[in-house]
Amino acid sequence: MSGKVVLAYSGGLDTSVAIRWLKDNYDLEVVALTIDVGNERDFTAIKEKALKVGAVKAVVIDSKELFVNHFIFPALQADALYEGQYPLATALSRPLIGKLLVDVAREEGAAAVSHGSTGKGNDQVRIEVSVNALAPDLKIIAPAREWGMTREETIAYAERYDIPVPVTLSSPYSIDENLWGRSIECGVLEDPWVEPPEDAFAWTKSPKEAPDTPGYVEIGFEQGVPFAIDGKKMGGVMLIQTLSEMAGSHGVGRIDVLENRLVGIKSREIYEAPAAMVLLQAHQSLQAMTLSKEQMRFKQKVAIEYADLVYNGLWFTSLHEDLAACIQSSQRYVTGTVRLKLFKGACTVVGRKSPYSLYSYGLATYDKDDVFDQSAAAGFIHIWGLPVKTQAQIQGTGRLEKS
Ligand code: ARG
């Protein structure tokens, strides 16, 4: 092959080695693309490193706003938690990376794109399905899936070509970070019986070390989108960063799961997602106040479908558009404020209010302000219980002894 390839470049060992490897094995000029999705890094240093190890060009794109507004907040409105536990931080960033790879490939007139994912994970699927959807003509090269090198061999390769091996390699974990969360894999975590060591965590204090007095936070939502913390309006990026600090300092947001990967592997995953877990909880409690019982129940089914779809790399699909439209519609009255208590690893909703609240004090109270007509209950029970009574009489439902 000849021409250019756009490589999604993190600055880590694998993608640095990939720059050299793509040149040697495919004879391609490498344009390194680094995407800022809120993973705090020195992007100038990453750019310099890409050029130093042989890229012809290094591009950094700040996509934090885009990531928050088009990926994170819609997933929050959807209540998206894969298998009920994982807020999908890594998964949500992949279609964005796919899209930007395509955009830059077009600008550069590249014939191919490339990424550093291995052949065992979900990320290769998410990126490649996205690229194929948007630009089926582009060739996709996945060096780490092709080269078959062990960690040691990769390091040796790097040393041979004078590619700096980061000191952070002493970290025994494989880590992916963005605004919505931090995913931690490998090392001792691969034994599902072993409790994650404290050094696996970076964003959350150990609940043992967390303050002895609880923290309180109020989150304002407008149609399912958070816009204020403690009455102070702020943009999404800042809001997530602020909340992440706050909740993390109280040890909130640690997740330890055994997860079903799309490629058929069960894997042990550790996540830190302080802001995500607080926002998801706050959002759900506001919905409990502003949606009907039936809307809530239907939305829970949609949430499962939506989370699976994101996890499985199907972002650029019509089904996604359909689900997103349904979710948007459900958020019309999800406006209000939620108050939460953060204390030693726990996050608890302690208050909620909304101008569209369906909670009626008059209906709920047992005090003198009661407006509920208790005498109407008798007729309701008569009719509600009719089929129950009928069946019990005819078929004897409810006998305790075995027939
Ligand atoms: N299991 C998670 C997922 O599939 C996290 C993946 C982490 N990726 C990584 N490159 N470390 O979304």
Side-chain angles (χ1 to χ4, degrees), residues 86 90-91 94 122-123 126 174-176 183 185 259 269 271 311:
Y86 165 41
T90 298
R94 297 326 192 204
N122 301 312
D123 290 331
R126 296 166 181 151
S174 156
I175 290 162
D176 181 65
S183 307
E185 297 173 331
E259 177 177 295
E269 304 280 333
Y271 301 108
Y311 189 86

Side-chain angles (χ1 to χ4, degrees), residues 74-279:
L76 170 62
Q77 291 177 303
D79 303 307
L81 275 174
Y82 180 66
E83 295 184 336
Q85 295 191 276
Y86 165 41
L88 294 160
T90 298
L92 284 164
S93 71
R94 297 326 192 204
L96 173 59
I97 291 172
K99 160 101 178 85
L100 294 175
L101 278 173
V102 169
D103 288 353
V104 175
R106 294 302 191 223
E107 277 163 32
E108 296 291 332
V113 296
S114 178
H115 61 79
S117 304
T118 69
K120 294 181 72 168
N122 301 312
D123 290 331
Q124 51 170 346
V125 182
R126 296 166 181 151
I127 294 174
E128 295 187 25
V129 168
S130 300
V131 170
N132 283 330
L134 301 172
D137 56 300
L138 285 178
K139 184 176 164 58
I140 305 173
I141 308 170
R145 193 169 60 199
E146 282 183 37
W147 65 38
M149 292 191 277
T150 62
R151 195 102 186 123
E152 289 68 35
E153 286 160 358
T154 315
I155 293 172
Y157 187 103
E159 280 163 353
R160 184 157 67 242
Y161 293 107
D162 218 15
I163 297 165
V165 178
V167 225
T168 50
L169 261 192
S170 59
S171 161
Y173 309 113
S174 156
I175 290 162
D176 181 65
E177 284 179 358
N178 64 50
L179 275 169
W180 204 226
R182 184 166 179 269
S183 307
I184 311 125
E185 297 173 331
C186 301
V188 290
L189 304 175
E190 287 177 353
D191 180 346
W193 181 249
V194 170
E195 181 175 354
E198 216 31 61
D199 72 354
F201 301 102
W203 292 5
T204 53
K205 244 203 189 121
S206 161
K208 215 170 63 203
E209 313 285 315
D212 292 323
T213 41
Y216 286 87
V217 61
E218 288 185 17
I219 304 170
F221 285 87
E222 172 94 44
Q223 301 198 331
V225 175
F227 71 95
I229 290 184
D230 293 329
K232 200 172 155 226
K233 282 193 183 172
M234 57 184 92
V237 175
M238 166 88 106
L239 185 138
I240 290 171
Q241 285 168 339
T242 308
L243 209 50
S244 180
E245 282 290 303
M246 264 190 201
S249 74
H250 284 279
V252 168
R254 294 186 172 186
I255 301 159
D256 177 347
V257 284
L258 206 78
E259 177 177 295
N260 290 299
R261 285 194 190 162
L262 178 56
V263 293
I265 300 168
K266 278 195 192 293
S267 66
R268 203 281 186 86
E269 304 280 333
I270 303 298
Y271 301 108
E272 291 186 285
M277 295 317 278
V278 171
L279 285 169

Side-chain angles (χ1 to χ4, degrees), residues 340-360:
L340 304 106
K341 177 158 101 174
L342 309 167
F343 186 57
K344 295 224 176 265
C347 171
T348 321
V349 173
V350 293
R352 60 294 262 165
K353 60 181 179 185
S354 165
Y356 306 110
S357 174
L358 300 174
Y359 175 87
S360 159

